[in-house]
Amino acid sequence: MMSSSNLLPLFPRISLSSSNRDSRAATCSRWKKISNFEYELTLRPDLYTNKNTQWFFFRVRNMRKKKSYRFTITNLMKPSSLYNNGMQPVFYSSHDAKTNKVGWRRKGENIRYYKNNYMQNGRCHYSLTWTCEFAYDDDVCYFAHCYPYTYTDLQDYLLDLANDSVRSRFCKQRVLCRTLAGNLVYILTITSPSRNPEVSRTKRAVVLTARVHPGETNASWMMKGFLDYLTGSTADAKLLRDTFIFKIVPMLNPDGVIVGNYRCSLTGRDLNRNYKSSLKDSFPSIWHTKLMIKRLHAEREVVLYCDLHGHSRKHNIFIYGCENKHKPDKKLRERVFPLMLSKNSRQSFSFRSCKYKVQKSKEGTGRIVVWCMGIMNSYTMEATFGGTTMNGKYKDTHLNPRDLEAIGYDFCDTILDYCDPDKCKTDACMKELTERMKKRMECRARGEPDESMSDSDTSGSDSSVDDGLPVNLLSNMPKINRKKKLRSRSERNKLTTASPPKQMTPPAATKVVLPKSVEFRPKNRENIPKKEEKPVRNSPEERTERSAKKGEYLQALTSAYIRSGLLVVSEPKAQAATTTAVKEFSFNYTQKGGDEEGNTDTGLTTQYLTDRVNQLTAHEQYEILRQSALKKQLSAGQQRILAQKHLAAVASMQQTDQHQQNIQQHTAQALRRIAAMATTTSGLNNHNIFLRQPQQTTYEEVKETEGGQLFFRRRERPPARAVTPLSHLMSITYPIEAKGISMLQKPNNPREDPIRHHL
């Protein structure tokens, strides 16, 4: 980079600052002289960001006439641009303005937009280059991306409106809010004054906003044409003021306009992605605009909302709307207004370029947020930075400020046509839209390409999603370790094929000096505590321990069966044939956990024990239970359920007659409930189930002595037992009624059931 003192006075001098009072901030951060007639420029990104380098505005002085100079901007970020389709930068000559009264115009030759070798944060940069011959020596000239419209221009225009005695009667100005920098955000209310409040209540509303993106200056020119028509003295303008109330916010982001940003505000964020945000202090203009629309919509019908923008990748002027897919009565209604506008503005407006998608990445835009409030005609109108390709005398020409103002006039005429009490035009447009939709479906059915899907990009920038909180809030927030976004497989393949893997070099060791009060210097390195190693999950030791616990659980379960008197210990002679008996009476397990008829392994085990209870010894029964649990690899909870079912099955094995059968059924039901409650309330370790020995008393004796009820008393485990369980044995006291209640039937009245009543 060369300073201006090294430049010869014969060659141009590029100025990085602006001396005008109209707040046209220069956007060139540095420039470099390549040769006597060639210069490279680097644009400053939006404040507090590292992107959005699109808008440029700089001054050139001390040039020589009839010499071709080349200017190259080297850090643009969009992969495509209209500069490759014939678009030219705008040019202003101070000498022409004084002598010939010629203002901004298009100028530039040999224009190219291409990818260069520079990269930043993994993003490629693009260059824009053009040549220019100056007509005068020592002139002061300016280059810009589009026709400038500054905050000062807006204030001058509003001052003229306020000083006009006629227009100020129906155009009221007030301050909507102040921005972060303290600049005023104006809101205009345009309607004919009425002494009758009932007449004003019946008026419908129209809301227009513009310049949420500072670099889209063509939006301000469209807004100027709209205001000129609406505040004019024509009959149509008076009819509009008599019929509607217009709420207009001509510049939503004055801070970005003043500092020369292209897309963001002073928060470093895109305001048109934060309409859903509730941060009033960070986005005051957006918050107050949304609140104004909500209140207005609650008071009266809002016919139309439109946000004016500029587009850098497509020609012509077009509209983005919101499709009413899930409302059959309003289907295609959102396309009526754009179709009418295309008929009123045939030379610049393209209906084919209009899109109506509601994309997830655009949920924070004003168009979609207002549409979600219930306003059907919610639009974003985009004006190209380039020219028009529509048939007519202005085909393939650039749009100038007069053309942009003309679209504002046509917009007002379309509002009158759309809201005309005579619905002939609306019905004709609906019929035409229906025919267009039928032709489109027929083309799709035949497999032909859909022309309406061409150029379907609904974004004029490289910032299509909200990029987080404002910068001032991020600086105060604690750092959060967020997971890195995984790239897609195609992106990973591109990275691996494009560049070989880099060899990782260990970072240089940095010496940390602690204060003397906390400095720790051990004499021997052996005294340094080592970090505890995390245990390996599912290790062989853990698997061995789990299998041992299963065996202990089954052993304790069988011991509880024997001690309760429900299992009969066989003779010693039969115990010797345990292995052969088990093999003889074994049953098959399936991979699905059951037999071919759909019975589960648990049901097979219960059925097997029930059929052969007189033939199997206690050891054989235990072996069958152990095989069943180990074969299924049951968890602790499943083992509890299996034990309860086996307990009920074993209780039913010892039935001798009908009287004893009823007793055993209630006994099994009581034992099952005791086991379930002991598991949930007694805090048993390893999820084991233990039963209290009934003190060598049969159930019949208990029934006779206690008046037909059986009691299990809550006692602690005795210190010494023949079979010691692994966990703390508890028994729960519950009265059990042994008469007339089946195990599968429950009384309708909870008070009739003594067990439930006790619980």
Side-chain angles (χ1 to χ4, degrees):
M1 175 179 175
M2 300 183 63
S3 62
S4 60
S5 60
N6 296 331
L7 291 174
L8 296 177
L10 296 178
F11 304 115
R13 175 179 180 180
I14 299 177
S15 176
L16 303 184
S17 61
S18 178
S19 60
N20 296 342
R21 68 174 183 89
D22 57 4
S23 305
R24 295 189 185 102
T27 57
C28 296
S29 62
R30 62 180 181 269
W31 55 273
K32 180 180 179 181
K33 179 181 177 182
I34 304 301
S35 65
N36 292 337
F37 301 100
E38 184 176 358
Y39 295 86
E40 284 188 357
L41 300 91
T42 302
L43 300 182
R44 173 186 59 78
D46 287 1
L47 293 182
Y48 311 113
T49 68
N50 57 359
K51 55 184 179 180
N52 300 322
T53 54
Q54 184 70 23
W55 168 262
F56 60 87
F57 179 90
F58 60 92
R59 179 174 59 191
V60 182
R61 296 184 296 180
N62 298 334
M63 69 285 295
R64 296 174 60 183
K65 66 178 182 179
K66 297 183 181 181
K67 294 291 184 180
S68 178
Y69 292 89
R70 177 172 292 277
F71 302 94
T72 303
I73 300 174
T74 59
N75 64 331
L76 299 174
M77 293 188 178
K78 292 187 179 181
S80 61
S81 177
L82 292 176
Y83 284 108
N84 282 336
N85 297 330
M87 178 177 164
Q88 295 175 308
V90 295
F91 172 79
Y92 181 88
S93 172
S94 300
H95 191 277
D96 278 341
K98 292 179 181 179
T99 58
N100 302 325
K101 296 183 179 181
V102 177
W104 290 94
R105 62 185 186 273
R106 299 281 182 174
K107 189 172 184 179
E109 295 80 23
N110 302 320
I111 301 173
R112 295 291 183 273
Y113 189 91
Y114 58 93
K115 181 180 178 181
N116 56 35
N117 297 326
Y118 300 111
M119 291 190 67
Q120 181 182 5
N121 298 328
R123 301 185 63 177
C124 299
H125 281 184
Y126 298 83
S127 294
L128 170 65
T129 181
W130 74 91
T131 60
C132 179
E133 291 187 4
F134 299 97
Y136 308 99
D137 290 332
D138 299 330
D139 194 5
V140 178
C141 300
Y142 297 89
F143 286 99
H145 180 57
C146 189
Y147 299 99
Y149 192 96
T150 65
Y151 185 56
T152 304
D153 295 334
L154 175 64
Q155 289 180 321
D156 293 340
Y157 182 83
L158 296 181
L159 184 61
D160 293 339
L161 283 178
N163 294 333
D164 193 325
S165 60
V166 177
R167 295 190 293 178
S168 61
R169 292 169 57 187
F170 49 77
C171 180
K172 304 299 181 182
Q173 305 179 24
R174 68 178 182 90
V175 177
L176 180 66
C177 62
R178 286 184 177 269
T179 62
L180 294 179
N183 296 300
L184 303 179
V185 179
Y186 299 98
I187 180 172
L188 309 180
T189 303
I190 301 177
T191 186
S192 297
S194 176
R195 296 181 180 179
N196 189 356
E198 295 182 359
V199 175
S200 60
R201 290 175 186 173
T202 58
K203 290 184 178 181
R204 292 178 287 180
V206 176
V207 181
L208 265 77
T209 60
R211 210 64 184 280
V212 67
H213 294 151
E216 298 172 357
T217 58
N218 39 12
S220 289
W221 291 108
M222 289 191 295
M223 178 62 74
K224 182 179 180 299
F226 181 83
L227 293 175
D228 288 343
Y229 187 94
L230 195 59
T231 57
S233 58
T234 61
D236 290 341
K238 187 178 184 304
L239 180 59
L240 284 171
R241 295 193 297 265
D242 294 339
T243 310
F244 301 98
I245 295 178
F246 292 89
K247 294 286 186 178
I248 301 171
V249 184
M251 190 172 288
L252 283 167
N253 192 357
D255 289 351
V257 174
I258 291 173
V259 300
N261 283 1
Y262 174 66
R263 195 168 183 86
C264 300
S265 66
L266 292 185
T267 59
R269 298 294 179 260
D270 185 355
L271 293 183
N272 199 35
R273 298 295 182 270
N274 288 278
Y275 272 85
K276 296 177 67 176
S277 175
S278 59
L279 299 176
K280 176 182 177 181
D281 296 335
S282 299
F283 313 110
S285 60
I286 299 301
W287 191 89
H288 285 89
T289 301
K290 184 171 63 174
L291 180 62
M292 178 268 295
I293 298 174
K294 284 183 178 180
R295 291 177 176 176
L296 187 66
H297 186 50
E299 296 174 358
R300 62 188 77 246
E301 179 187 358
V302 179
V303 178
L304 183 140
Y305 164 83
C306 187
D307 190 19
L308 306 182
H309 285 259
H311 207 286
S312 63
R313 301 182 185 181
K314 295 170 67 174
H315 287 295
N316 305 316
I317 300 173
F318 47 92
I319 276 180
Y320 292 142
C322 300
E323 186 175 9
N324 297 299
K325 284 185 177 181
H326 307 291
K327 297 179 180 179
D329 56 331
K330 297 182 179 180
K331 190 175 182 181
L332 300 179
R333 290 285 179 183
E334 72 279 354
R335 309 189 184 196
V336 174
F337 186 85
L339 182 59
M340 286 184 173
L341 183 57
S342 66
K343 297 180 181 299
N344 292 332
S345 180
R346 298 180 180 273
Q347 297 181 356
S348 58
F349 190 88
S350 174
F351 181 75
R352 280 183 51 192
S353 300
C354 297
K355 306 299 174 185
Y356 308 93
K357 294 182 179 179
V358 181
Q359 298 175 343
K360 188 176 182 180
S361 60
K362 306 296 179 63
E363 289 181 351
T365 60
R367 166 175 59 99
I368 296 180
V369 171
V370 174
W371 175 69
C372 292
M373 294 180 187
I375 301 175
M376 180 184 65
N377 296 320
S378 180
Y379 302 116
T380 296
M381 188 160 69
E382 303 271 356
T384 179
F385 285 101
T388 175
T389 59
M390 304 301 294
N391 294 327
K393 61 179 181 180
Y394 297 112
K395 184 179 180 180
D396 298 332
T397 59
H398 286 88
L399 294 181
N400 54 35
R402 291 185 179 179
D403 299 329
L404 297 173
E405 292 176 9
I407 194 67
Y409 308 155
D410 299 333
F411 193 90
C412 293
D413 288 336
T414 308
I415 294 177
L416 286 176
D417 294 338
Y418 182 79
C419 299
D420 193 346
D422 186 4
K423 298 298 182 181
C424 294
K425 294 182 179 180
T426 305
D427 296 340
C429 289
M430 280 298 300
K431 184 178 179 180
E432 182 178 350
L433 289 171
T434 305
E435 294 177 356
R436 285 172 178 257
M437 183 60 66
K438 289 182 180 179
K439 291 182 180 179
R440 181 179 175 184
M441 300 302 294
E442 291 175 358
C443 292
R444 286 187 177 182
R446 292 193 298 265
E448 298 178 0
D450 190 359
E451 295 181 357
S452 62
M453 297 301 294
S454 60
D455 298 334
S456 60
D457 182 21
T458 60
S459 175
S461 79
D462 52 357
S463 175
S464 60
V465 294
D466 179 24
D467 43 4
L469 291 173
V471 178
N472 58 334
L473 296 183
L474 289 177
S475 60
N476 298 329
M477 290 184 61
K479 294 184 178 179
I480 301 175
N481 294 328
R482 298 180 179 177
K483 292 184 179 180
K484 296 182 178 179
K485 292 183 179 180
L486 297 178
R487 296 177 178 269
S488 62
R489 182 178 298 177
S490 59
E491 292 179 349
R492 291 197 298 268
N493 294 339
K494 289 180 181 179
L495 290 177
T496 53
T497 56
S499 60
K502 298 181 180 179
Q503 296 182 357
M504 301 297 294
T505 57
T510 57
K511 184 177 180 181
V512 180
V513 180
L514 298 176
K516 293 183 179 181
S517 58
V518 296
E519 191 171 5
F520 175 73
R521 296 180 181 178
K523 295 181 180 180
N524 300 326
R525 303 189 66 86
E526 299 177 356
N527 298 332
I528 300 177
K530 297 182 179 180
K531 295 182 178 179
E532 297 182 359
E533 297 182 357
K534 296 181 179 180
V536 181
R537 295 184 178 180
N538 202 17
S539 60
E541 293 79 5
E542 290 187 357
R543 291 196 294 269
T544 305
E545 184 180 358
R546 285 198 299 269
S547 61
K549 287 182 179 179
K550 283 185 178 181
E552 293 173 357
Y553 163 74
L554 292 171
Q555 184 179 1
L557 177 64
T558 307
S559 300
Y561 286 164
I562 296 173
R563 293 172 64 250
S564 63
L566 299 179
L567 287 181
V568 179
V569 181
S570 61
E571 299 178 358
K573 295 181 180 180
Q575 294 180 4
T578 299
T579 307
T580 59
V582 170
K583 291 183 179 180
E584 182 180 359
F585 296 105
S586 61
F587 47 88
N588 296 325
Y589 288 91
T590 61
Q591 295 181 355
K592 298 181 180 180
D595 59 359
E596 297 179 355
E597 298 180 359
N599 300 322
T600 60
D601 292 344
T602 305
L604 291 174
T605 305
T606 304
Q607 185 66 29
Y608 189 87
L609 291 175
T610 304
D611 296 341
R612 296 171 176 81
V613 65
N614 298 325
Q615 303 176 10
L616 299 178
T617 64
H619 297 281
E620 291 173 345
Q621 295 174 11
Y622 162 72
E623 184 65 21
I624 291 174
L625 294 177
R626 187 183 67 82
Q627 289 182 3
S628 178
L630 295 179
K631 187 71 177 178
K632 292 192 65 175
Q633 296 294 323
L634 301 179
S635 62
Q638 293 172 337
Q639 290 179 15
R640 291 198 301 271
I641 299 174
L642 181 63
Q644 296 171 14
K645 292 183 178 181
H646 288 175
L647 197 62
V650 173
S652 63
M653 297 176 193
Q654 304 296 330
Q655 301 171 355
T656 56
D657 53 8
Q658 187 66 28
H659 178 70
Q660 186 177 4
Q661 181 180 0
N662 294 336
I663 296 176
Q664 293 295 339
Q665 287 179 356
H666 293 294
T667 303
Q669 182 181 8
L671 294 177
R672 187 171 69 240
R673 295 191 181 187
I674 291 170
M677 294 301 298
T679 305
T680 57
T681 61
S682 301
L684 302 180
N685 298 327
N686 301 329
H687 304 286
N688 297 337
I689 300 175
F690 302 97
L691 304 176
R692 178 71 175 169
Q693 187 174 359
Q695 300 183 2
Q696 306 297 329
T697 304
T698 61
Y699 300 117
E700 290 81 1
E701 294 175 352
V702 173
K703 178 180 178 181
E704 294 174 0
T705 56
E706 298 294 339
Q709 291 186 348
L710 175 65
F711 289 87
F712 287 89
R713 304 184 181 279
R714 182 184 295 273
R715 294 182 180 180
E716 298 292 335
R717 183 181 61 177
R721 287 189 177 278
V723 180
T724 305
L726 298 178
S727 303
H728 184 60
L729 281 176
M730 299 289 291
S731 61
I732 306 174
T733 303
Y734 295 117
I736 303 175
E737 188 176 12
K739 56 181 180 179
I741 300 179
S742 175
M743 190 172 75
L744 301 178
Q745 296 178 354
K746 295 183 180 179
N748 296 327
N749 190 0
R751 296 187 177 181
E752 296 178 1
D753 188 357
I755 298 178
R756 297 179 63 182
H757 180 64
H758 182 77
L759 292 176

